[in-house]
Structures are given as C-alpha cells and as structure tokens.
C-alpha cells in the first residue's frame, strides 16, 4: 500500500454564497479569529503527515500564494520595532512544499481535482475542501481518514448525518454494511432531489482517494448543476476499489455558509486563551 503523502486543496471556486466579501477576497482567505481558512486546512493536512500540498487556484486567488510566501518587508519592519514573529508561524512552509496549478474555469469540484492529475501522479491523495472547517485538534479529520486508509485501502471519505431536508445540498452515501464509525459505500449520489436520498450520510469535504479517480474524471462527464462532480467519478469506482465512509468525530463549521462562518468565529474565539474570557463576557451581555 502506498503511503499518503499528497493533498489537493481545490480553491478555485467563486464563493458566491459569501459575497460581497468574496468579490475581492478569496473565500479561503476569510479569517476565523485571526487565521484564514486555508491555514486551518493546511495545518490539518500537515498534522496527518502530508508532505506535498497542491493548490488548485483560479483568477483572483493570488493572495493565497503571497500568504504562504516570505514577506521580507513585513518581517524586517517587525524586527526593527521589536515585535515577535511568532504570529507568522505556520505561514512559512518548506521551499517547494506547495505547488500551484490553475483551474481556468470553475467547472466543478471534480474538474478542480482533475486539474491536479499530473502532480498527483500514481499515488493516493487527500482532498480538503477549505470552507469546511473541521475542528478536532486532537485527531483531525484527515488523520482519521488516513488511519482508515491504512486499515482498509481504497477510497475513504468523511461523513456526517445531516437533517433529511438538507440532503439535497450534499453528496449522499448509499450505505452498505456498517460497523461502528465505518460504513461501506454501496452508492454515492450528488445533491439528490428532495425525498430521493439513499440515507442522511453526507460527505463533508474530506477525502482520501486513489489516483484511478483521475481516469474517470478524464471523461469530463457533467452531473448535478451541469458541473463535473467528484461524487459521480467516485461512484463509478465502486466495486473495483474498496470504498468506506468514516463518521467524523469533532466540530464542523460550514464556512461557505454565512451562519456557519459566524459560528466558527464565535466557537473558536471562545476556546482561545487570549480572548476567550472577554468574548464570553460580551456574548453573555449581548444575550442578556
Ligand atoms: P463550493 O461549491 O462550496 O464553493 O466548493 P464555491 O463554488 O466557491 O462557493 P459558492 O457555492 O459559489 O458559494 C467547495 C470547494 O471547492 C472549490 C471551492 O473553491 C471550494 O473551496 N471549487 C469548487 C473549485 O476549486 N473549483 C470549482 O469549480 C468548484
């Protein structure tokens, strides 16, 4: 079994649900407390032992490249003023650790992943959707999936049970045998029409995948919403590769949704040593 060393971050979407902020700021650069969403996802991947990070970017996403660069002017000025550089920790990665490819048109998540095919090569790879902030500092979601991959091989995705009236927003699993947190995936359907979902088990933006999915994506088939869907490509691999869904344990904030984004800020601010008490006091006063 090949080790999991690579992760793909599709960050080329338009982020229309977060407009107007995302008109000039990439969704992935929106801050939760004081770190942009992309930093949380990168930290999660590194914690799982991922060595190579592949960003699939698009127009207007340049600030993400700058963010993981060295800012000599800023660092020099901070040093001159006697300020600690600790706040920049995490933004500096090893030279060559991040590679960028471009998705020229946002044709869907499957297409974004396919744009990384030459960098992925013939190795397994993780996919992290950055607007899903999965917060489990002890055992992050990708680490949970990596563990299952080492046990079972094949494709593994993170899932959570969602309310029945939300299933049309997600990729939904048709479940086979289930033991504890693990469920065999018998089918996988993107955004099923209301009332037709095979279960309430929804994919929440973390995957460990086999490179064969790229061959399926080569066909460029369109699915729900006219987009090239990762879900549809994975569904075609069922039967030829093991495919498991692992129920995620931890907090989840869908930051592609306005309410989820505000909740993430509040929850993570409350956990912070430096500002938690002040925010808690404010929230108490606000709520009476
Ligand atoms: P979303 O559908 O949540 O993101 O895709 P979006 O399209 O940017 O947002 P809305 O729906 O318009 O508000 C999940 C992730 O996949 C990336 C997005 O950047 C996001 O991080 N994505 C999506 C791409 O990279 N390319 C695409 O063609 C579609």
């Amino acid at each position: 079994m090949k080790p999991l060393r690579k992760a793909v971050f599709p960050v080329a979407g338009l982020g229309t649900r977060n407009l107007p902020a995302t008109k000039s700021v990439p969704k992935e650069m929106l801050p939760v407390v004081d770190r942009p969403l992309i930093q949380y996802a990168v930290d999660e991947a590194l914690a799982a032992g991922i060595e190579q990070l592949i960003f699939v970017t698009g127009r207007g996403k340049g600030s993400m490249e700058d963010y993981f660069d060295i800012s000599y002017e800023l660092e020099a000025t901070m040093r001159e003023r006697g300020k600690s550089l600790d706040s920049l920790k995490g933004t500096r990665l090893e030279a060559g650790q991040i590679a960028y490819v471009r998705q020229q048109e946002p044709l869907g998540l499957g297409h974004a992943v396919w744009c990384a095919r030459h960098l992925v090569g013939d190795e397994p790879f993780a996919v992290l959707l950055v607007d899903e902030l999965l917060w489990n500092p002890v055992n992050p979601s990708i680490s949970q999936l990596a563990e299952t991959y080492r046990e079972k091989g094949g494709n593994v995705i993170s899932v959570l049970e969602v309310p029945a009236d939300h299933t049309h927003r997600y990729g939904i699993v048709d479940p086979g045998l289930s033991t504890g947190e693990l469920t065999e995936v018998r089918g996988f359907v993107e955004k099923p029409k209301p009332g037709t979902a095979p279960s309430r088990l929804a994919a929440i933006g973390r995957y460990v995948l086999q490179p064969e999915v790229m061959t399926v994506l080569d066909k460029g088939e369109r699915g729900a919403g006219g987009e090239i869907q990762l879900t549809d490509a994975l569904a075609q691999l069922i039967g030829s590769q093991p495919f498991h869904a692992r129920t995620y344990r931890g907090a989840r904030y869908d930051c592609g949704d306005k309410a989820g984004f505000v909740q993430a800020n509040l929850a993570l601010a409350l956990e912070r040593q430096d500002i938690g008490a002040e925010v808690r006091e404010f929230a108490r006063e606000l709520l009476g």
Side-chain angles (χ1 to χ4, degrees):
M1 179 183 294
K2 289 190 178 165
L4 180 66
R5 304 186 310 142
K6 300 184 178 183
V8 174
F9 301 78
V11 291
L14 297 177
T16 54
R17 287 169 297 153
N18 298 74
L19 282 169
T22 45
K23 189 176 172 199
S24 62
V25 178
K27 171 162 73 172
E28 299 80 9
M29 286 301 289
L30 295 177
V32 171
V33 188
D34 52 6
R35 299 155 74 208
L37 283 167
I38 187 72
Q39 179 82 65
Y40 290 92
V42 162
D43 288 350
E44 182 186 331
L46 294 176
I50 300 282
E51 296 162 13
Q52 297 177 28
L53 313 173
I54 303 163
F55 285 22
V56 182
T57 71
R59 283 179 68 79
K61 302 279 184 168
S63 59
M64 245 178 294
E65 300 187 27
D66 292 340
Y67 177 82
F68 287 106
D69 221 338
I70 297 174
S71 175
Y72 287 106
E73 245 179 48
L74 175 66
E75 293 190 10
T77 311
M78 286 175 76
R79 267 195 214 99
E80 242 170 56
R81 298 187 182 170
K83 290 186 189 297
S84 152
L85 297 186
D86 280 0
S87 52
L88 296 176
K89 231 172 82 195
T91 68
R92 273 181 159 217
L93 301 175
E94 230 175 83
Q97 200 172 14
I98 304 188
Y100 298 92
V101 285
R102 206 82 173 185
Q103 184 191 28
Q104 289 94 336
E105 279 181 281
L107 297 180
L109 178 60
H111 182 260
V113 168
W114 179 76
C115 288
R117 65 198 178 283
H118 299 302
L119 295 171
V120 163
D122 63 353
E123 292 191 28
F125 62 103
V127 176
L128 292 90
L129 303 194
V130 173
D131 52 354
E132 286 280 3
L133 203 174
L134 301 189
W135 185 239
N136 180 342
V138 178
N139 189 14
S141 175
I142 283 294
S143 306
Q144 297 175 21
L145 295 189
E147 185 186 70
T148 301
Y149 165 66
R150 285 191 294 270
E151 278 169 21
K152 304 281 185 188
N155 300 301
V156 193
I157 61 171
S158 251
V159 294
L160 271 182
E161 212 162 74
V162 298
D165 57 346
H166 288 186
T167 50
H168 65 283
R169 301 180 190 169
Y170 295 91
I172 299 290
V173 164
D174 181 2
L177 269 182
S178 207
T179 37
E181 289 165 349
L182 270 199
T183 303
E184 276 174 20
V185 179
R186 215 169 44 178
F188 196 22
V189 42
E190 183 64 30
K191 297 188 175 65
K193 294 208 168 71
T196 67
S199 77
R200 293 196 288 126
L201 285 183
I204 51 165
R206 296 295 183 277
Y207 308 75
V208 168
L209 303 180
Q210 297 307 305
E212 285 75 17
V213 71
M214 297 298 190
T215 315
V216 182
L217 288 167
D218 276 341
K219 296 186 255 176
E221 287 169 0
R222 308 270 178 152
E227 296 191 347
I228 299 170
Q229 299 287 358
L230 182 61
T231 301
D232 298 341
L234 289 173
Q236 290 190 40
L237 291 171
I238 294 170
S240 63
Q241 297 182 326
F243 194 172
H244 291 89
R246 177 164 174 161
T247 300
Y248 167 66
R249 302 281 178 231
R252 169 194 175 226
Y253 306 101
D254 177 5
C255 294
D257 172 78
K258 290 182 180 66
F261 177 67
V262 173
Q263 286 160 14
N265 269 285
L266 181 59
L268 269 65
L270 287 172
E271 277 188 25
R272 289 272 293 246
Q273 292 267 327
D274 53 350
I275 57 167
E278 194 180 331
V279 175
R280 178 166 288 107
E281 190 50 40
F282 171 75
R284 252 198 222 113
E285 275 173 27
L286 193 68
L287 299 171

